[in-house]
């Protein structure tokens, strides 16, 4: 396949930008994104954007770069925190260097989600070169706190009114297809209490682990069949018991036990109703009042954007123009920061280079050709939705 002069130039720029981002550690924990925001901010400022780096809880920083005013407001969002490297011996290359091999760029966060961040940085400069938006506003967000589903990244920016999009394009790795629906997410933490005693005399105590087992068995028996019957297209309502911790020693009756549960909700399942349903099922287990507590560290609704919406359809048209085929509409397993805008009545779409299946693993990579395609697709999308003033 012949590569044009423009495509070669775009590829070189994207490789350099991604190399710069990968070289700056931004792993969670600790989630320190200050240095990467500072480096990216220099690029946005050089392109004439108004740049701010909101941070409520150090060291978790975010970046918001804006050009233009008013509506429509198109926001590009890419998270810049990553998971840890895991076992260093599992990496064939330096995780903090962008290593090219057979058309793939390897490095920590290359796929999730620094590849899209590099594409967005290129797009910001390219839009500025073309005169900026002819109408409305063009906003770029580099967000922290995504990997732990935390409140200090995109959620904080929305809460403070620092971004108010009409369309939100998230840089999730979709192999340049589209995700327009996403399940909501509910995490519950259950803590049971009991009474400690010597392990040689179990009846003298009240075993908190056994109490937890009864509660979890109730959830599985009652809620499991209900969720299996809830489907929307290829999406299923699910529940996963992710962690259980309790006890100190085998010779001690445990007086505390904690479990954490992940519920994924269909777009038409409100998080408040899902929480109440689980509480009601737990209450039916018959455990004594005050013997357990339920806490909700995470809870956000799912979203569903219409394929014929003006922004989603413009992005689909740009994809088809560039790739010669209409985009597939994928089912999302993971949760994105789009969930924070689920009830705002805006168009939310995930689009970006890379395959989500290689995220969070050693030897993570993103194909450079997909990055080039994504960059040129998004340039066409901005032209279709906002136009260029130059």
């Amino acid at each position: 396949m012949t590569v044009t002069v423009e495509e070669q130039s775009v590829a070189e720029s994207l490789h350099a930008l991604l190399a710069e981002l990968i070289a700056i550690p931004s792993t969670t924990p600790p989630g320190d994104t200050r240095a990467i925001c500072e480096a990216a901010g220099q690029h946005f400022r050089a392109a004439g954007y108004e740049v701010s780096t909101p941070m409520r809880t150090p060291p978790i920083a975010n970046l918001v770069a804006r050009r233009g005013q008013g509506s429509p407001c198109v926001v590009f969002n890419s998270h810049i925190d990553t998971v840890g490297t895991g076992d260093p011996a599992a990496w064939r290359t330096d995780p903090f260097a962008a290593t090219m091999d057979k058309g793939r760029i390897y490095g920590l966060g290359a796929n999730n989600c620094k590849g899209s961040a590099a594409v967005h940085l290129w797009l910001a400069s390219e839009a500025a070169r073309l005169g900026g938006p002819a109408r409305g506003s063009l906003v770029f967000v580099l967000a922290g706190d995504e990997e732990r589903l935390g409140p200090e990244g995109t959620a904080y920016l929305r809460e403070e009114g620092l971004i108010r999009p009409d369309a939100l394009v998230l840089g999730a790795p979709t192999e340049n297809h589209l995700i327009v629906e996403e399940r909501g997410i509910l995490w519950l933490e259950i803590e049971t209490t009991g009474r400690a005693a010597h392990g040689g005399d179990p009846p003298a105590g009240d075993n908190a682990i056994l109490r937890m087992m009864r509660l979890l068995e109730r959830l599985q028996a009652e809620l499991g069949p209900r969720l299996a019957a809830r489907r929307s297209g290829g999406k299923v309502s699910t529940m996963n018991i992710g962690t259980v911790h309790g006890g100190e020693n085998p010779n001690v009756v445990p007086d505390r036990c904690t479990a954490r549960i992940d519920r994924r909700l269909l777009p038409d399942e409100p998080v408040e109703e899902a929480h109440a349903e689980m509480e009601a099922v737990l209450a039916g287990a018959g455990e004594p009042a005050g013997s357990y507590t339920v806490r909700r560290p995470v809870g956000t609704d799912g979203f569903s954007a219409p394929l014929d919406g003006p922004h989603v359809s413009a992005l689909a048209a740009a994809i088809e123009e560039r790739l010669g085929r209409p985009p597939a509409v994928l089912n999302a397993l993971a949760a994105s920061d789009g969930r924070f805008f689920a009830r705002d009545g805006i168009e939310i779409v995930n689009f970006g280079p890379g395959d989500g299946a290689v995220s969070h693993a050693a030897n993570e990579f993103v194909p450079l050709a997909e990055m080039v395609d994504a960059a040129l697709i998004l340039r066409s999308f901005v032209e279709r939705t906002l136009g260029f003033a130059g």
Side-chain angles (χ1 to χ4, degrees):
M1 182 176 178
T2 303
V3 177
T4 68
V5 173
E6 180 186 43
E7 290 169 342
Q8 182 61 37
S9 174
V10 173
E12 291 171 0
S13 296
L14 290 171
H15 191 181
L17 287 167
L18 182 53
E20 182 178 354
L21 297 178
I22 288 174
I24 304 172
S26 54
T27 55
T28 296
D32 189 344
T33 49
R34 293 172 295 186
I36 196 168
C37 282
E38 176 59 31
Q42 295 177 22
H43 290 279
F44 285 113
R45 291 187 182 94
Y49 287 77
E50 297 178 11
V51 179
S52 62
T53 52
M55 178 170 55
R56 177 167 59 186
T57 305
I60 302 170
N62 307 280
L63 182 146
V64 179
R66 183 183 308 272
R67 188 155 177 162
Q69 292 183 341
S71 185
C73 176
V74 176
V75 175
F76 291 93
N77 176 298
S78 183
H79 74 86
I80 42 160
D81 58 326
T82 71
V83 297
T85 57
D87 180 7
W91 283 82
R92 295 190 297 271
T93 64
D94 181 350
F96 294 105
T99 303
M100 175 71 83
D101 183 28
K102 297 178 181 177
R104 298 171 171 180
I105 300 177
Y106 289 82
L108 182 63
N111 183 70
N112 188 9
C113 208
K114 292 183 177 181
S116 273
V119 168
H120 293 176
L121 278 167
W122 178 88
L123 177 63
S125 295
E126 180 70 358
R129 184 184 70 82
L130 295 170
R135 57 189 176 276
S137 48
L138 180 60
V139 178
F140 293 90
V141 170
L142 300 182
D145 213 23
E146 194 271 355
E147 290 294 359
R148 70 180 188 111
L149 302 179
E152 305 301 330
T154 303
Y156 163 58
L157 300 179
R158 179 193 173 276
E159 178 185 325
E160 294 296 314
L162 298 174
I163 50 174
R164 300 178 183 274
D166 295 300
L168 177 64
V169 181
L170 300 125
T174 65
E175 297 180 281
N176 292 340
H177 292 291
L178 299 177
I179 293 173
V180 296
E181 286 193 329
E182 194 174 281
R183 292 179 298 174
I185 182 168
L186 168 64
W187 282 1
L188 288 189
E189 184 176 274
I190 305 170
E191 183 177 51
T192 56
T193 55
R195 185 175 63 258
H198 195 286
D201 186 14
D206 181 7
N207 194 310
I209 292 178
L210 294 180
R211 172 161 291 118
M212 182 65 74
M213 289 172 61
R214 293 190 292 270
L215 290 172
L216 296 181
E217 287 169 359
R218 175 75 177 184
L219 277 177
Q220 285 289 95
E222 284 288 315
L223 195 54
R226 297 184 203 173
L227 301 186
R230 296 177 190 171
R231 295 176 177 269
S232 175
K235 293 176 291 298
V236 183
S237 191
T238 61
M239 174 180 66
N240 179 60
I241 300 168
T243 65
V244 179
H245 298 286
E248 299 177 9
N249 288 301
N251 63 347
V252 178
V253 175
D255 63 353
R256 290 191 180 275
C257 183
T258 302
R260 300 193 77 183
I261 296 172
D262 178 305
R263 270 278 282 117
R264 298 299 165 115
L265 318 172
L266 299 179
D268 62 355
E269 289 184 284
V271 68
E272 295 295 341
E273 292 182 11
H275 187 174
E277 180 182 38
M278 295 183 74
E279 290 262 29
V281 171
L282 291 169
E287 295 299 320
S291 65
Y292 70 93
T293 58
V294 180
R295 189 176 73 88
R296 184 175 81 193
V298 174
T300 46
D301 291 324
F303 63 81
S304 179
L307 283 171
D308 60 355
H311 296 93
V312 173
S313 59
L315 180 53
I319 294 170
E320 186 165 7
E321 178 186 64
R322 171 68 188 173
L323 302 181
R325 48 103 176 138
V329 179
L330 308 180
N331 281 319
L333 287 180
S336 75
D337 281 351
R339 68 190 190 281
F340 299 119
F341 298 83
R343 294 295 174 256
D344 287 2
I346 68 170
E347 291 184 66
I348 306 169
V349 59
N350 285 273
F351 168 84
D355 180 354
V358 304
S359 299
H360 298 177
N363 306 305
E364 177 181 357
F365 68 87
V366 62
L368 181 56
E370 281 188 21
M371 292 180 66
V372 172
D373 285 337
L376 296 176
I377 287 166
L378 290 180
R379 182 178 67 182
S380 175
F381 166 69
V382 173
E383 185 172 22
R384 292 164 186 265
T385 54
L386 301 178
F388 293 118

